[in-house]
Amino acid sequence: MVTGGAGFIGSAVCRHLVGTGSYRVVNLDKLTYAGNLTSLRDLEGHPNYVFRHADICDTDKVRQILADEQVDLVMHLAAESHVDRSIDGPMAFVTTNVVGTASLLSAVLDHWRGLGEDARKRFRFHHVSTDEVFGDLPFDSGVFTEESPYKPSSPYSASKAASDHFVRAWHETYGLPVVLSNCSNNYGPYHFPEKLIPLVIANALDEQPLPVYGKGANIRDWLFVEDHARALETVMTRGRVGDSYNIGGRAERTNLEVVETICALLDARRPRASGRSHLDLITYVTDRPGHDRRYAIDPTKSERELGWTPLETFETGLARTVDWYLANGWWWRPIREQRFDGSRQGLVGAK
Ligand code: NAD
Ligand code: TYD
């Protein structure tokens, strides 16, 4: 079972797992504003894929689905995932990420207890989390390891930190075989166009301003979503029970570098009618309140113990991403028209 399989990373995971031919995937998703079944168009009708519409907070329904579908592995991605939305409305993050994860754990524990001995041993609950639980780093030093202390800054990262603690508690207290992973910023196809990279691509194609928070000096460590999906399979199948794994692409960039690279890719592929560079659209806007300076993942443990390495560099992954958005307006244009028009979010409380 993949929870949140209609989201950005979850849909990449569903496509990857079904594509291996080794799994039958049950996608459990509530279909919030961020969920899109169109991202899974290629899997519709596939014998090894089924969609189940449910909220992870609905313990009875989830318990029933776990039993009906005879689930033997759970990969948990369902969440509210956008930092700016967590500034505007933190309670949805507490409900889904904290209460929802604990509700899901309760249903999964009941299901796990009812399995035979061999199935109980093989069972895994894999919690997909973020490096943002570790807070932020100085601009010029340090990396996050699996031992970094938890120090979340935003309502989003605080809710994810709480969910990590609940997952560990279900392991320590009830013996549920769990494994965790904390990854850096993902990017790639089917990314909801409110996050930096897809927002900038869509705005640039629509001749809209490209909003850069503050001076654009904040640093993120970028990971191509398909590299992440492969990493998640290895964590789920080969990770040590009770352990966590950091996953990152060793690709730190300032936000301004990211936006400038997108502009250069678009200048080459889709020149503006005016003949001017897309760089002209860059607009510096009020900074995010509590904006974490820098994230940087040390993925050594995942590389050494799981044998995982990313296949894309930031440059090749970003070029693939820009090409995908150029070719797939059918996916993102209706979202911009009907669900999110690109307006600024997360300014509540900004100084
Ligand atoms: P997303 O917002 O694109 O998708 C979230 C999915 O969860 C949606 O399909 C939504 O409908 C579903 N969902 C939300 N609430 C639900 C509920 N109560 N019950 C069932 N389904 C529900 O998110 P994403 O970017 O794909 O992130 C997936 C996971 O990875 C999240 O747990 C997130 O915290 C984590 N993560 C994401 C990133 C990133 O860069 N995107 C980085 C680190 C970790
Ligand atoms: P985002 O994609 O929201 O991911 P996260 O906050 O989880 O890292 O933002 C990535 C970075 O880009 C972050 O430092 C905030 C910045 N940003 C902008 O400068 N402009 C924007 O319009 C958005 C959405 C983000």
Side-chain angles (χ1 to χ4, degrees):
M1 173 185 282
V2 174
T3 72
F8 165 48
I9 302 173
S11 66
V13 167
C14 291
R15 288 189 297 273
H16 170 71
L17 293 178
V18 172
T20 64
S22 305
Y23 304 90
R24 176 175 179 272
V25 174
V26 179
N27 169 12
L28 183 152
D29 200 292
K30 182 183 176 183
L31 298 182
T32 67
Y33 81 95
N36 279 292
L37 288 180
T38 54
S39 308
L40 294 152
R41 212 171 56 163
D42 296 349
L43 297 185
E44 263 170 40
H46 195 291
N48 288 335
Y49 170 77
V50 62
F51 172 68
R52 300 292 303 258
H53 191 198
D55 185 333
I56 54 168
C57 296
D58 186 345
T59 312
D60 289 341
K61 186 163 181 184
V62 173
R63 201 186 281 117
Q64 192 60 53
I65 294 172
L66 287 162
D68 290 349
E69 304 290 354
Q70 300 174 32
V71 170
D72 51 8
L73 298 166
V74 176
M75 202 187 275
H76 175 38
L77 295 100
E80 289 293 336
S81 70
H82 190 41
V83 172
D84 288 335
R85 279 184 197 252
S86 82
I87 295 168
D88 290 334
M91 290 316 292
F93 289 69
V94 176
T95 302
T96 285
N97 300 0
V98 186
V99 180
T101 297
S103 307
L104 175 68
L105 283 163
S106 298
V108 168
L109 181 64
D110 291 345
H111 175 72
W112 176 72
R113 283 178 165 161
L115 297 173
E117 200 184 329
D118 280 353
R120 265 206 309 278
K121 270 195 203 130
R122 282 196 308 270
F123 193 90
R124 291 290 178 276
F125 180 90
H126 176 182
H127 181 54
V128 178
S129 191
T130 168
D131 59 355
E132 301 189 26
V133 299
F134 304 125
D136 74 343
L137 293 161
F139 281 114
D140 54 359
S141 63
V143 282
F144 296 134
T145 71
E146 287 77 4
E147 276 69 51
S148 295
Y150 276 52
K151 199 171 167 291
S153 325
S154 70
Y156 164 68
S157 51
S159 70
K160 291 297 289 188
S163 65
D164 287 10
H165 294 318
F166 275 103
V167 170
R168 289 200 175 90
W170 254 251
H171 174 60
E172 297 296 336
T173 311
Y174 309 113
L176 186 71
V178 308
V179 62
L180 298 91
S181 55
N182 297 79
C183 70
S184 59
N185 286 63
N186 283 223
Y187 68 101
Y190 303 102
H191 202 182
F192 193 86
E194 65 181 347
K195 306 278 169 74
L196 177 69
I197 289 179
L199 177 77
V200 164
I201 297 171
N203 276 14
L205 291 173
D206 284 348
E207 292 282 324
Q208 300 291 313
L210 312 181
V212 171
Y213 296 176
K215 297 192 170 96
N218 300 60
I219 293 171
R220 298 293 183 262
D221 186 355
W222 294 95
L223 173 65
F224 190 66
V225 68
E226 292 172 14
D227 281 329
H228 188 206
R230 278 190 306 107
L232 292 179
E233 186 198 0
T234 62
V235 171
M236 178 179 70
T237 52
R238 294 158 66 180
R240 257 182 289 160
V241 170
D243 264 23
S244 67
Y245 293 83
N246 279 0
I247 307 170
R250 295 185 193 272
E252 289 182 57
R253 298 289 184 281
T254 68
N255 292 338
L256 190 56
E257 284 168 343
V258 170
V259 176
E260 287 174 348
T261 311
I262 293 169
C263 290
L265 287 164
L266 286 174
D267 285 348
R269 288 158 162 76
R270 180 74 61 90
R272 295 171 72 195
S274 65
R276 300 173 71 93
S277 168
H278 289 89
L279 289 170
D280 287 359
L281 295 170
I282 292 177
T283 308
Y284 294 91
V285 298
T286 310
D287 209 351
R288 170 188 282 171
H291 198 171
D292 282 341
R293 288 164 296 179
R294 172 173 166 258
Y295 303 140
I297 281 262
D298 176 358
T300 308
K301 180 178 174 184
S302 300
E303 290 168 351
R304 284 216 187 116
E305 288 191 17
L306 307 173
W308 170 83
T309 46
L311 297 177
E312 299 290 345
T313 65
F314 184 64
E315 284 63 37
T316 59
L318 194 60
R320 277 184 64 184
T321 304
V322 167
D323 287 339
W324 189 87
Y325 280 85
L326 282 170
N328 291 285
W330 69 269
W331 183 85
W332 60 268
R333 285 219 170 270
I335 294 176
R336 296 258 287 183
E337 279 151 23
Q338 293 155 28
R339 292 199 212 173
F340 177 67
D341 62 5
S343 345
R344 178 73 195 265
Q345 305 184 94
L347 268 180
V348 177
K351 293 179 205 98

